[in-house]
Coordinates of all heavy atoms in Angstrom, one line a residue:
M1 N -48.2 -9.9 -45.1 CA -49.1 -9.8 -44.0 C -48.3 -9.6 -42.7 O -47.4 -10.4 -42.5 CB -49.9 -11.1 -44.0 CG -50.9 -11.2 -42.8 SD -51.9 -12.7 -42.8 CE -52.9 -12.5 -44.2
S2 N -48.7 -8.7 -41.9 CA -48.0 -8.4 -40.7 C -48.3 -9.5 -39.7 O -49.4 -10.2 -39.7 CB -48.3 -7.1 -40.1 OG -49.7 -7.0 -39.8
Q3 N -47.4 -9.8 -38.8 CA -47.5 -10.8 -37.8 C -47.9 -10.2 -36.4 O -47.5 -9.1 -36.1 CB -46.2 -11.6 -37.6 CG -45.8 -12.3 -38.9 CD -46.6 -13.5 -39.2 OE1 -46.7 -14.4 -38.3 NE2 -47.2 -13.6 -40.4
A4 N -48.6 -11.0 -35.6 CA -48.9 -10.5 -34.2 C -48.5 -11.7 -33.3 O -48.5 -12.8 -33.7 CB -50.4 -10.3 -34.1
T5 N -48.2 -11.3 -32.1 CA -47.8 -12.3 -31.1 C -49.1 -12.7 -30.3 O -49.9 -11.9 -29.9 CB -46.8 -11.8 -30.1 OG1 -45.6 -11.4 -30.9 CG2 -46.4 -12.8 -29.1
F6 N -49.2 -14.0 -30.1 CA -50.3 -14.6 -29.3 C -49.7 -15.5 -28.2 O -49.0 -16.4 -28.5 CB -51.1 -15.5 -30.3 CG -52.4 -16.1 -29.7 CD1 -53.5 -15.3 -29.4 CD2 -52.4 -17.4 -29.4 CE1 -54.6 -15.8 -28.9 CE2 -53.6 -18.0 -28.9 CZ -54.7 -17.2 -28.6
S7 N -50.0 -15.1 -27.0 CA -49.4 -15.8 -25.8 C -50.5 -16.6 -25.2 O -51.6 -16.2 -24.9 CB -48.9 -14.8 -24.9 OG -48.3 -15.4 -23.7
V8 N -50.2 -17.9 -24.8 CA -51.1 -18.8 -24.2 C -50.5 -19.4 -23.0 O -49.3 -19.8 -23.0 CB -51.5 -20.0 -25.2 CG1 -52.4 -20.9 -24.5 CG2 -52.1 -19.4 -26.4
R9 N -51.2 -19.4 -21.9 CA -50.7 -20.1 -20.7 C -51.3 -21.5 -20.6 O -52.5 -21.7 -20.9 CB -51.1 -19.3 -19.4 CG -50.4 -18.0 -19.3 CD -50.7 -17.4 -17.9 NE -50.1 -16.1 -17.8 CZ -48.8 -16.0 -17.4 NH1 -48.1 -17.0 -17.1 NH2 -48.3 -14.8 -17.3
M10 N -50.5 -22.5 -20.3 CA -51.0 -23.9 -20.2 C -50.1 -24.6 -19.3 O -48.9 -24.2 -19.0 CB -51.1 -24.6 -21.6 CG -49.8 -24.9 -22.2 SD -50.0 -25.9 -23.7 CE -50.8 -24.9 -24.8
D11 N -50.6 -25.7 -18.8 CA -49.8 -26.6 -17.9 C -48.5 -27.0 -18.6 O -48.5 -27.3 -19.8 CB -50.7 -27.9 -17.6 CG -49.9 -28.9 -16.8 OD1 -49.9 -28.7 -15.6 OD2 -49.4 -29.9 -17.4
E12 N -47.4 -27.0 -17.8 CA -46.1 -27.3 -18.4 C -46.0 -28.7 -19.0 O -45.4 -28.9 -20.1 CB -45.0 -27.1 -17.3 CG -43.6 -27.3 -17.7 CD -42.6 -27.0 -16.6 OE1 -42.9 -26.2 -15.7 OE2 -41.6 -27.7 -16.6
G13 N -46.6 -29.7 -18.3 CA -46.6 -31.0 -18.9 C -47.3 -31.1 -20.2 O -46.9 -31.8 -21.1
L14 N -48.5 -30.4 -20.3 CA -49.3 -30.4 -21.5 C -48.5 -29.8 -22.6 O -48.5 -30.3 -23.8 CB -50.6 -29.7 -21.3 CG -51.5 -29.5 -22.5 CD1 -51.9 -30.8 -23.1 CD2 -52.7 -28.6 -22.1
K15 N -47.8 -28.7 -22.3 CA -47.0 -28.0 -23.3 C -45.9 -28.9 -23.9 O -45.7 -29.0 -25.1 CB -46.3 -26.8 -22.8 CG -45.6 -26.0 -23.9 CD -44.9 -24.7 -23.3 CE -44.2 -23.9 -24.4 NZ -43.4 -24.7 -25.3
R16 N -45.2 -29.7 -23.0 CA -44.2 -30.6 -23.4 C -44.8 -31.7 -24.4 O -44.2 -32.0 -25.4 CB -43.5 -31.3 -22.2 CG -42.4 -30.5 -21.7 CD -41.5 -31.4 -20.7 NE -42.2 -32.0 -19.7 CZ -42.5 -31.5 -18.5 NH1 -42.1 -30.2 -18.3 NH2 -43.2 -32.1 -17.6
Q17 N -45.9 -32.2 -24.0 CA -46.6 -33.2 -24.8 C -47.0 -32.6 -26.2 O -46.8 -33.3 -27.2 CB -47.8 -33.8 -24.1 CG -47.5 -34.7 -22.9 CD -48.7 -35.1 -22.2 OE1 -49.7 -34.4 -22.1 NE2 -48.7 -36.3 -21.6
F18 N -47.6 -31.4 -26.1 CA -48.0 -30.8 -27.3 C -46.8 -30.5 -28.3 O -46.9 -30.8 -29.5 CB -48.7 -29.5 -27.0 CG -49.3 -28.8 -28.2 CD1 -50.4 -29.3 -28.9 CD2 -48.9 -27.5 -28.6 CE1 -50.9 -28.7 -30.0 CE2 -49.4 -26.9 -29.6 CZ -50.5 -27.4 -30.3
D19 N -45.8 -30.0 -27.7 CA -44.6 -29.7 -28.5 C -44.0 -31.0 -29.1 O -43.6 -31.0 -30.3 CB -43.5 -29.0 -27.7 CG -43.7 -27.6 -27.3 OD1 -44.6 -26.9 -28.0 OD2 -43.2 -27.1 -26.3
G20 N -44.0 -32.1 -28.3 CA -43.5 -33.3 -28.9 C -44.3 -33.9 -30.0 O -43.8 -34.3 -31.0
L21 N -45.6 -33.8 -29.9 CA -46.5 -34.3 -30.9 C -46.4 -33.4 -32.2 O -46.4 -33.9 -33.3 CB -48.0 -34.3 -30.5 CG -48.3 -35.5 -29.6 CD1 -49.7 -35.3 -29.0 CD2 -48.3 -36.8 -30.4
C22 N -46.3 -32.1 -32.0 CA -46.1 -31.2 -33.1 C -44.9 -31.5 -33.9 O -44.8 -31.6 -35.1 CB -46.1 -29.7 -32.7 SG -47.7 -29.1 -32.1
Q23 N -43.8 -31.8 -33.2 CA -42.5 -32.3 -33.8 C -42.7 -33.5 -34.6 O -42.2 -33.6 -35.7 CB -41.4 -32.4 -32.8 CG -40.8 -31.2 -32.2 CD -39.7 -31.4 -31.2 OE1 -39.5 -32.5 -30.8 NE2 -39.1 -30.3 -30.8
E24 N -43.5 -34.5 -34.1 CA -43.8 -35.7 -34.8 C -44.5 -35.4 -36.1 O -44.4 -36.1 -37.1 CB -44.6 -36.7 -33.9 CG -43.7 -37.3 -32.8 CD -44.6 -38.3 -32.0 OE1 -45.4 -39.0 -32.5 OE2 -44.3 -38.4 -30.8
F25 N -45.4 -34.4 -36.0 CA -46.2 -34.0 -37.2 C -45.4 -33.2 -38.2 O -45.8 -32.9 -39.3 CB -47.4 -33.2 -36.8 CG -48.4 -33.9 -35.9 CD1 -49.1 -33.2 -35.0 CD2 -48.5 -35.3 -35.9 CE1 -50.0 -33.9 -34.1 CE2 -49.4 -36.0 -35.1 CZ -50.2 -35.2 -34.2
G26 N -44.2 -32.8 -37.8 CA -43.3 -32.0 -38.6 C -43.6 -30.6 -38.6 O -43.4 -29.9 -39.6
M27 N -44.1 -30.1 -37.5 CA -44.4 -28.7 -37.4 C -44.1 -28.2 -36.0 O -43.9 -28.9 -35.1 CB -45.9 -28.4 -37.8 CG -46.9 -29.0 -36.8 SD -48.6 -28.6 -37.1 CE -49.0 -29.7 -38.4
T28 N -44.1 -26.8 -35.9 CA -43.9 -26.2 -34.6 C -45.3 -26.1 -33.9 O -46.3 -26.2 -34.5 CB -43.3 -24.9 -34.7 OG1 -44.2 -24.0 -35.4 CG2 -41.9 -24.9 -35.4
A29 N -45.2 -25.8 -32.6 CA -46.5 -25.6 -31.9 C -47.2 -24.3 -32.5 O -48.4 -24.3 -32.6 CB -46.2 -25.4 -30.4
S30 N -46.4 -23.3 -32.8 CA -46.9 -22.1 -33.4 C -47.7 -22.4 -34.7 O -48.8 -21.9 -35.0 CB -45.8 -21.1 -33.7 OG -46.3 -19.9 -34.2
T31 N -47.1 -23.3 -35.6 CA -47.8 -23.7 -36.8 C -49.1 -24.4 -36.5 O -50.1 -24.2 -37.1 CB -46.8 -24.6 -37.7 OG1 -45.7 -23.8 -38.0 CG2 -47.5 -25.0 -38.9
A32 N -49.1 -25.3 -35.5 CA -50.3 -26.0 -35.1 C -51.4 -25.1 -34.7 O -52.5 -25.2 -35.1 CB -49.9 -27.1 -34.1
I33 N -51.0 -24.1 -33.9 CA -52.0 -23.1 -33.4 C -52.5 -22.3 -34.6 O -53.8 -22.1 -34.7 CB -51.4 -22.2 -32.3 CG1 -51.0 -23.0 -31.1 CG2 -52.4 -21.1 -32.0 CD1 -52.1 -23.6 -30.4
N34 N -51.7 -22.0 -35.5 CA -52.1 -21.3 -36.7 C -53.1 -22.1 -37.6 O -54.1 -21.6 -38.1 CB -51.0 -20.8 -37.6 CG -50.4 -19.5 -37.1 OD1 -51.0 -18.4 -37.4 ND2 -49.3 -19.5 -36.5
V35 N -52.8 -23.4 -37.7 CA -53.7 -24.3 -38.4 C -55.0 -24.4 -37.8 O -56.1 -24.3 -38.4 CB -53.1 -25.8 -38.5 CG1 -54.1 -26.8 -39.0 CG2 -51.8 -25.8 -39.4
F36 N -55.0 -24.4 -36.4 CA -56.3 -24.4 -35.7 C -57.1 -23.1 -35.9 O -58.3 -23.2 -36.2 CB -56.0 -24.6 -34.2 CG -57.2 -24.4 -33.3 CD1 -58.2 -25.4 -33.2 CD2 -57.3 -23.3 -32.5 CE1 -59.3 -25.2 -32.4 CE2 -58.4 -23.1 -31.7 CZ -59.4 -24.0 -31.6
A37 N -56.4 -22.0 -35.8 CA -57.0 -20.7 -35.9 C -57.6 -20.5 -37.3 O -58.7 -20.1 -37.5 CB -56.0 -19.6 -35.6
R38 N -56.9 -21.0 -38.3 CA -57.4 -20.9 -39.7 C -58.7 -21.8 -39.9 O -59.6 -21.4 -40.5 CB -56.3 -21.3 -40.7 CG -55.2 -20.3 -40.9 CD -54.2 -20.8 -41.9 NE -53.0 -19.9 -41.8 CZ -52.9 -18.7 -42.5 NH1 -53.9 -18.3 -43.2 NH2 -51.8 -18.0 -42.4
A39 N -58.7 -23.0 -39.3 CA -59.8 -23.8 -39.4 C -61.0 -23.2 -38.7 O -62.2 -23.3 -39.2 CB -59.5 -25.2 -38.8
V40 N -60.8 -22.6 -37.5 CA -61.9 -22.0 -36.8 C -62.5 -20.8 -37.7 O -63.7 -20.7 -37.8 CB -61.5 -21.4 -35.4 CG1 -62.5 -20.5 -34.8 CG2 -61.1 -22.6 -34.5
V41 N -61.7 -20.0 -38.2 CA -62.1 -18.9 -39.1 C -62.8 -19.4 -40.3 O -63.9 -18.9 -40.7 CB -61.0 -17.9 -39.4 CG1 -61.4 -16.9 -40.4 CG2 -60.4 -17.3 -38.1
R42 N -62.2 -20.4 -41.0 CA -62.8 -20.9 -42.2 C -64.1 -21.6 -42.0 O -65.1 -21.3 -42.7 CB -61.8 -21.9 -42.8 CG -62.3 -22.5 -44.2 CD -61.3 -23.6 -44.7 NE -61.1 -24.7 -43.8 CZ -60.0 -25.0 -43.2 NH1 -58.9 -24.2 -43.3 NH2 -59.9 -26.0 -42.4
E43 N -64.3 -22.4 -40.9 CA -65.5 -23.1 -40.7 C -66.5 -22.4 -39.8 O -67.6 -22.8 -39.6 CB -65.2 -24.5 -40.0 CG -64.3 -25.4 -40.9 CD -64.0 -26.7 -40.3 OE1 -64.7 -27.2 -39.4 OE2 -62.9 -27.2 -40.7
R44 N -66.0 -21.3 -39.2 CA -66.8 -20.4 -38.3 C -67.4 -21.3 -37.1 O -68.5 -21.1 -36.7 CB -67.9 -19.7 -39.1 CG -67.4 -18.8 -40.1 CD -68.5 -18.0 -40.8 NE -69.4 -17.3 -39.9 CZ -69.1 -16.1 -39.2 NH1 -67.9 -15.6 -39.4 NH2 -69.9 -15.6 -38.4
R45 N -66.5 -22.2 -36.7 CA -66.9 -23.0 -35.5 C -65.6 -23.7 -35.0 O -64.6 -23.7 -35.7 CB -67.9 -24.1 -35.9 CG -67.4 -25.2 -36.8 CD -68.4 -26.2 -37.2 NE -67.8 -27.4 -37.9 CZ -67.3 -28.4 -37.3 NH1 -67.3 -28.5 -36.0 NH2 -66.8 -29.4 -38.0
I46 N -65.6 -24.3 -33.8 CA -64.5 -25.1 -33.3 C -64.6 -26.4 -34.2 O -65.6 -27.0 -34.2 CB -64.7 -25.4 -31.8 CG1 -64.8 -24.1 -31.0 CG2 -63.6 -26.3 -31.3 CD1 -63.5 -23.3 -31.0
P47 N -63.5 -26.7 -34.8 CA -63.5 -27.9 -35.7 C -63.5 -29.2 -35.1 O -63.1 -30.2 -35.7 CB -62.2 -27.6 -36.6 CG -61.3 -26.9 -35.7 CD -62.2 -26.1 -34.8
F48 N -64.0 -29.3 -33.9 CA -64.1 -30.7 -33.3 C -65.2 -30.5 -32.2 O -65.5 -29.4 -31.8 CB -62.8 -31.2 -32.7 CG -62.1 -30.2 -31.8 CD1 -62.4 -30.0 -30.5 CD2 -61.0 -29.5 -32.4 CE1 -61.7 -29.1 -29.7 CE2 -60.3 -28.6 -31.6 CZ -60.7 -28.4 -30.3
D49 N -65.8 -31.6 -31.8 CA -66.8 -31.6 -30.7 C -66.2 -31.4 -29.4 O -65.1 -32.0 -29.1 CB -67.6 -32.8 -30.7 CG -68.5 -33.0 -31.9 OD1 -68.8 -32.0 -32.6 OD2 -68.8 -34.1 -32.3
I50 N -66.8 -30.5 -28.6 CA -66.4 -30.3 -27.2 C -67.5 -30.8 -26.4 O -68.6 -30.3 -26.4 CB -66.1 -28.8 -26.9 CG1 -64.9 -28.3 -27.8 CG2 -65.8 -28.7 -25.4 CD1 -64.7 -26.8 -27.6
V51 N -67.3 -31.9 -25.6 CA -68.3 -32.5 -24.8 C -67.9 -32.8 -23.4 O -66.7 -33.0 -23.2 CB -68.8 -33.9 -25.5 CG1 -69.4 -33.6 -26.8 CG2 -67.7 -34.8 -25.6
A52 N -68.8 -32.7 -22.5 CA -68.5 -33.1 -21.1 C -68.5 -34.6 -21.0 O -69.3 -35.2 -21.6 CB -69.5 -32.4 -20.2
P53 N -67.6 -35.1 -20.2 CA -67.6 -36.5 -20.0 C -68.9 -37.0 -19.3 O -69.5 -36.2 -18.5 CB -66.4 -36.8 -19.1 CG -66.1 -35.5 -18.4 CD -66.6 -34.4 -19.4
E54 N -69.4 -38.2 -19.5 CA -70.5 -38.7 -18.9 C -70.2 -38.8 -17.3 O -69.1 -39.2 -16.9 CB -70.8 -40.1 -19.3 CG -71.4 -40.2 -20.8 CD -72.7 -39.5 -20.9 OE1 -73.6 -39.6 -20.0 OE2 -72.9 -38.9 -22.0
P55 N -71.2 -38.3 -16.5 CA -70.9 -38.4 -15.1 C -70.8 -39.9 -14.7 O -71.5 -40.7 -15.2 CB -72.2 -37.7 -14.5 CG -73.2 -37.8 -15.6 CD -72.5 -37.8 -16.9
E56 N -69.9 -40.1 -13.8 CA -69.7 -41.4 -13.3 C -70.8 -41.7 -12.2 O -70.9 -41.0 -11.2 CB -68.3 -41.6 -12.7 CG -68.0 -43.0 -12.2 CD -66.6 -43.1 -11.7 OE1 -65.7 -42.3 -12.1 OE2 -66.4 -44.0 -10.8
V57 N -71.5 -42.8 -12.4 CA -72.5 -43.2 -11.4 C -71.9 -44.2 -10.5 O -71.4 -45.2 -10.9 CB -73.8 -43.8 -12.1 CG1 -74.8 -44.2 -11.1 CG2 -74.4 -42.8 -13.1
T58 N -71.8 -43.8 -9.2 CA -71.3 -44.7 -8.3 C -72.4 -45.2 -7.3 O -73.5 -44.6 -7.3 CB -70.2 -44.0 -7.4 OG1 -70.8 -42.9 -6.7 CG2 -69.1 -43.4 -8.3
R59 N -72.0 -46.2 -6.6 CA -73.0 -46.7 -5.6 C -73.4 -45.6 -4.6 O -74.5 -45.4 -4.3 CB -72.4 -47.9 -4.9 CG -73.3 -48.5 -3.8 CD -72.7 -49.8 -3.3 NE -73.4 -50.3 -2.1 CZ -74.6 -50.8 -2.0 NH1 -75.4 -50.8 -3.0 NH2 -75.1 -51.2 -0.8
D60 N -72.3 -44.9 -4.2 CA -72.5 -43.8 -3.2 C -73.5 -42.7 -3.8 O -74.4 -42.2 -3.1 CB -71.2 -43.2 -2.8 CG -71.3 -42.2 -1.7 OD1 -72.0 -42.5 -0.7 OD2 -70.8 -41.1 -1.8
S61 N -73.2 -42.3 -5.0 CA -74.1 -41.2 -5.6 C -75.5 -41.7 -5.9 O -76.5 -41.0 -5.7 CB -73.5 -40.7 -6.9 OG -73.5 -41.6 -7.9
A62 N -75.6 -43.0 -6.2 CA -77.0 -43.6 -6.4 C -77.7 -43.6 -5.1 O -78.9 -43.4 -5.0 CB -76.9 -45.0 -7.1
M63 N -77.0 -44.0 -4.0 CA -77.6 -44.1 -2.7 C -78.1 -42.7 -2.2 O -79.2 -42.6 -1.7 CB -76.7 -44.8 -1.7 CG -77.3 -45.0 -0.4 SD -78.8 -46.0 -0.4 CE -78.2 -47.6 -0.6
R64 N -77.3 -41.7 -2.5 CA -77.7 -40.3 -2.1 C -78.9 -39.9 -2.9 O -79.8 -39.3 -2.3 CB -76.5 -39.3 -2.4 CG -75.4 -39.4 -1.3 CD -74.5 -38.2 -1.4 NE -73.9 -38.0 -2.7 CZ -72.8 -38.5 -3.2 NH1 -72.1 -39.3 -2.4 NH2 -72.4 -38.3 -4.4
A65 N -79.0 -40.2 -4.2 CA -80.2 -39.9 -4.9 C -81.4 -40.6 -4.4 O -82.5 -40.0 -4.3 CB -79.9 -40.2 -6.4
F66 N -81.2 -41.9 -4.1 CA -82.3 -42.7 -3.5 C -82.8 -42.1 -2.2 O -84.0 -41.9 -2.0 CB -81.9 -44.1 -3.4 CG -83.0 -44.9 -2.6 CD1 -84.1 -45.4 -3.3 CD2 -82.8 -45.3 -1.3 CE1 -85.1 -46.1 -2.6 CE2 -83.8 -46.0 -0.6 CZ -84.9 -46.4 -1.3
M67 N -81.9 -41.8 -1.3 CA -82.3 -41.2 0.0 C -83.0 -39.9 -0.2 O -83.9 -39.5 0.6 CB -81.0 -41.1 0.9 CG -80.4 -42.5 1.2 SD -81.6 -43.7 1.9 CE -81.7 -43.0 3.5
A68 N -82.5 -39.0 -1.1 CA -83.2 -37.8 -1.4 C -84.6 -38.0 -1.9 O -85.5 -37.3 -1.4 CB -82.4 -36.9 -2.4
L69 N -84.8 -39.0 -2.8 CA -86.2 -39.3 -3.2 C -87.0 -39.8 -2.1 O -88.2 -39.4 -2.0 CB -86.1 -40.3 -4.4 CG -85.6 -39.7 -5.7 CD1 -85.4 -40.9 -6.7 CD2 -86.5 -38.7 -6.3
R70 N -86.5 -40.6 -1.2 CA -87.2 -41.2 -0.1 C -87.6 -40.0 0.8 O -88.8 -40.0 1.3 CB -86.3 -42.2 0.6 CG -87.0 -42.7 1.9 CD -86.0 -43.5 2.7 NE -86.4 -44.9 2.4 CZ -85.7 -46.0 2.9 NH1 -84.7 -45.7 3.7 NH2 -86.1 -47.2 2.6
A71 N -86.7 -39.1 1.1 CA -87.1 -38.0 2.0 C -88.2 -37.1 1.4 O -89.1 -36.7 2.1 CB -85.8 -37.1 2.3
E72 N -88.1 -36.9 0.1 CA -89.1 -36.1 -0.6 C -90.5 -36.8 -0.6 O -91.5 -36.2 -0.3 CB -88.7 -35.9 -2.1 CG -89.7 -35.0 -2.8 CD -89.2 -34.7 -4.3 OE1 -88.0 -34.8 -4.5 OE2 -90.1 -34.4 -5.1
A73 N -90.5 -38.2 -0.7 CA -91.7 -38.9 -0.6 C -92.3 -38.8 0.8 O -93.5 -38.7 0.9 CB -91.5 -40.4 -1.0
Q74 N -91.5 -38.9 1.8 CA -91.9 -38.8 3.2 C -92.5 -37.4 3.4 O -93.6 -37.2 4.1 CB -90.8 -39.1 4.2 CG -90.5 -40.6 4.2 CD -89.3 -40.9 5.1 OE1 -88.4 -40.0 5.3 NE2 -89.2 -42.1 5.5
A75 N -91.8 -36.4 2.9 CA -92.3 -35.0 3.1 C -93.6 -34.8 2.4 O -94.4 -34.0 2.9 CB -91.3 -34.0 2.6
N76 N -93.9 -35.5 1.3 CA -95.1 -35.3 0.6 C -96.2 -36.3 1.0 O -97.3 -36.4 0.4 CB -94.9 -35.4 -0.9 CG -94.1 -34.3 -1.4 OD1 -94.3 -33.1 -1.0 ND2 -93.2 -34.5 -2.4
G77 N -95.9 -37.1 2.0 CA -96.9 -38.1 2.6 C -97.2 -39.2 1.6 O -98.3 -39.8 1.7
V78 N -96.3 -39.6 0.8 CA -96.6 -40.7 -0.1 C -95.5 -41.9 0.0 O -95.4 -42.7 -0.9 CB -96.6 -40.2 -1.6 CG1 -97.8 -39.3 -1.8 CG2 -95.3 -39.6 -2.0
S79 N -94.9 -41.9 1.1 CA -93.8 -42.9 1.3 C -94.3 -44.3 1.6 O -93.6 -45.3 1.5 CB -92.8 -42.5 2.4 OG -93.5 -42.4 3.6
D80 N -95.6 -44.4 1.9 CA -96.1 -45.8 2.3 C -97.1 -46.3 1.2 O -97.9 -47.2 1.5 CB -96.8 -45.7 3.6 CG -98.0 -44.7 3.6 OD1 -98.1 -43.9 2.7 OD2 -98.8 -44.8 4.6
L81 N -97.0 -45.8 0.0 CA -97.9 -46.3 -1.1 C -97.4 -47.7 -1.5 O -96.2 -48.0 -1.6 CB -97.8 -45.4 -2.3 CG -98.5 -44.0 -2.2 CD1 -98.3 -43.2 -3.5 CD2 -99.9 -44.1 -1.8
S82 N -98.4 -48.5 -1.8 CA -98.1 -49.9 -2.4 C -97.7 -49.7 -3.9 O -98.1 -48.7 -4.5 CB -99.3 -50.8 -2.2 OG -100.3 -50.4 -3.1
P83 N -97.1 -50.8 -4.4 CA -96.8 -50.7 -5.9 C -98.1 -50.5 -6.7 O -98.1 -49.8 -7.7 CB -96.2 -52.1 -6.2 CG -95.5 -52.4 -4.9 CD -96.5 -51.9 -3.8
D84 N -99.2 -51.1 -6.3 CA -100.5 -50.9 -7.0 C -100.9 -49.5 -6.9 O -101.4 -48.9 -7.9 CB -101.6 -51.9 -6.5 CG -101.3 -53.3 -6.9 OD1 -100.6 -53.6 -7.9 OD2 -101.8 -54.2 -6.2
E85 N -100.8 -48.9 -5.8 CA -101.2 -47.5 -5.6 C -100.3 -46.5 -6.4 O -100.8 -45.6 -7.0 CB -101.1 -47.1 -4.1 CG -102.2 -47.8 -3.3 CD -102.0 -47.6 -1.8 OE1 -100.8 -47.6 -1.3 OE2 -103.0 -47.4 -1.1
I86 N -99.0 -46.9 -6.5 CA -98.1 -46.1 -7.3 C -98.5 -46.2 -8.7 O -98.5 -45.1 -9.4 CB -96.6 -46.6 -7.1 CG1 -96.2 -46.2 -5.6 CG2 -95.7 -45.9 -8.1 CD1 -94.9 -46.9 -5.2
N87 N -98.7 -47.4 -9.2 CA -99.2 -47.5 -10.6 C -100.5 -46.8 -10.9 O -100.6 -46.2 -12.0 CB -99.3 -49.0 -10.9 CG -98.0 -49.7 -11.1 OD1 -97.0 -49.0 -11.4 ND2 -97.9 -51.0 -10.8
E88 N -101.4 -46.8 -10.0 CA -102.6 -46.0 -10.2 C -102.4 -44.5 -10.2 O -103.0 -43.8 -11.1 CB -103.6 -46.4 -9.0 CG -104.9 -45.6 -9.1 CD -105.7 -46.0 -10.4 OE1 -105.5 -47.0 -11.0 OE2 -106.6 -45.2 -10.7
E89 N -101.4 -44.0 -9.4 CA -101.1 -42.6 -9.4 C -100.5 -42.3 -10.8 O -100.8 -41.3 -11.4 CB -100.0 -42.3 -8.4 CG -100.5 -42.3 -6.9 CD -101.0 -41.0 -6.5 OE1 -100.6 -40.0 -7.0 OE2 -101.8 -41.0 -5.6
I90 N -99.6 -43.2 -11.3 CA -99.0 -42.9 -12.6 C -100.1 -42.9 -13.7 O -100.1 -42.1 -14.6 CB -97.9 -44.0 -12.9 CG1 -96.8 -43.8 -12.0 CG2 -97.5 -44.0 -14.4 CD1 -95.8 -45.0 -12.0
R91 N -101.0 -43.9 -13.7 CA -102.1 -44.0 -14.7 C -102.9 -42.8 -14.7 O -103.2 -42.2 -15.7 CB -102.9 -45.2 -14.4 CG -104.0 -45.5 -15.5 CD -105.0 -46.6 -15.1 NE -105.8 -46.2 -14.0 CZ -106.8 -45.3 -14.0 NH1 -107.1 -44.7 -15.1 NH2 -107.5 -45.1 -12.9
Q92 N -103.3 -42.3 -13.5 CA -104.1 -41.1 -13.4 C -103.4 -39.9 -13.9 O -104.0 -39.0 -14.6 CB -104.6 -40.9 -12.0 CG -105.7 -41.9 -11.6 CD -106.2 -41.8 -10.2 OE1 -105.9 -40.8 -9.5 NE2 -107.0 -42.7 -9.7
A93 N -102.1 -39.8 -13.6 CA -101.3 -38.6 -14.0 C -101.2 -38.6 -15.5 O -101.3 -37.6 -16.2 CB -99.9 -38.7 -13.4
R94 N -101.1 -39.8 -16.1 CA -101.0 -39.9 -17.6 C -102.3 -39.5 -18.3 O -102.3 -39.0 -19.3 CB -100.6 -41.3 -18.0 CG -99.2 -41.6 -17.8 CD -98.8 -43.0 -18.2 NE -97.4 -43.2 -18.0 CZ -96.8 -44.4 -17.9 NH1 -97.6 -45.5 -18.1 NH2 -95.5 -44.5 -17.8
E95 N -103.4 -39.7 -17.5 CA -104.7 -39.4 -18.1 C -105.1 -37.9 -17.7 O -106.1 -37.4 -18.1 CB -105.8 -40.3 -17.5 CG -105.7 -41.7 -18.0 CD -106.7 -42.7 -17.4 OE1 -107.5 -42.2 -16.5 OE2 -106.7 -43.8 -17.8
G96 N -104.2 -37.3 -16.9 CA -104.5 -35.9 -16.6 C -105.4 -35.6 -15.4 O -105.9 -34.5 -15.3
R97 N -105.6 -36.7 -14.6 CA -106.5 -36.5 -13.5 C -105.7 -36.5 -12.2 O -104.7 -37.1 -12.1 CB -107.5 -37.7 -13.5 CG -108.5 -37.7 -14.6 CD -109.6 -38.7 -14.4 NE -109.2 -39.9 -13.8 CZ -109.3 -41.1 -14.4 NH1 -109.7 -41.2 -15.6 NH2 -108.9 -42.2 -13.7
E98 N -106.3 -35.9 -11.2 CA -105.7 -35.9 -9.9 C -106.1 -37.2 -9.2 O -107.2 -37.7 -9.4 CB -106.2 -34.7 -9.0 CG -105.6 -33.4 -9.5 CD -104.1 -33.3 -9.2 OE1 -103.7 -33.7 -8.1 OE2 -103.4 -32.8 -10.1
A99 N -105.3 -37.7 -8.3 CA -105.6 -38.9 -7.5 C -106.6 -38.6 -6.5 O -106.8 -37.5 -6.0 CB -104.3 -39.5 -6.9

């Protein structure tokens, strides 16, 4: 089977860590990349989950969200509803009626 060259750019520190781990596993980085490529082709998918980290909720981001909701309530003329009025709005919305 003929060989082809595959060039990848990555952070220098990441490459050092990757090379070191590959040595611990008893293989070269090239062998590890080939193992990965074979798994992708064999399974027809990335052989591990790729997920975004959960967003960090901070006091500051929560306060910004609250203030945005408050401004929207004021713009829609519903910022002065009592808890009972809010619950009635919810009940009517669940029943499909307008307030």
Side-chain angles (χ1 to χ4, degrees):
M1 178 179 290
S2 64
Q3 299 286 308
T5 301
F6 183 74
S7 179
V8 177
R9 292 188 180 276
M10 71 173 63
D11 177 79
E12 186 177 325
L14 176 61
K15 183 181 182 315
R16 273 196 306 275
Q17 290 176 327
F18 185 67
D19 287 339
L21 281 171
C22 288
Q23 285 180 356
E24 288 181 34
F25 300 149
M27 67 177 78
T28 65
S30 180
T31 300
I33 297 296
N34 274 286
V35 168
F36 171 75
R38 288 178 190 278
V40 169
V41 170
R42 181 182 61 250
E43 297 179 28
R44 299 187 51 79
R45 67 179 191 89
I46 302 295
F48 50 82
D49 291 336
I50 300 174
V51 296
E54 290 293 324
E56 184 179 332
V57 178
T58 63
R59 179 174 166 70
D60 187 51
S61 65
M63 186 56 77
R64 282 194 308 272
F66 173 77
M67 296 306 284
L69 289 171
R70 176 187 260 181
E72 186 176 336
Q74 287 174 338
N76 291 323
V78 294
S79 62
D80 59 348
L81 292 178
S82 71
D84 289 337
E85 291 170 321
I86 292 170
N87 286 332
E88 180 61 20
E89 290 271 335
I90 292 169
R91 186 188 65 73
Q92 289 180 9
R94 286 180 177 162
E95 291 177 359
R97 295 194 318 248
E98 288 292 316

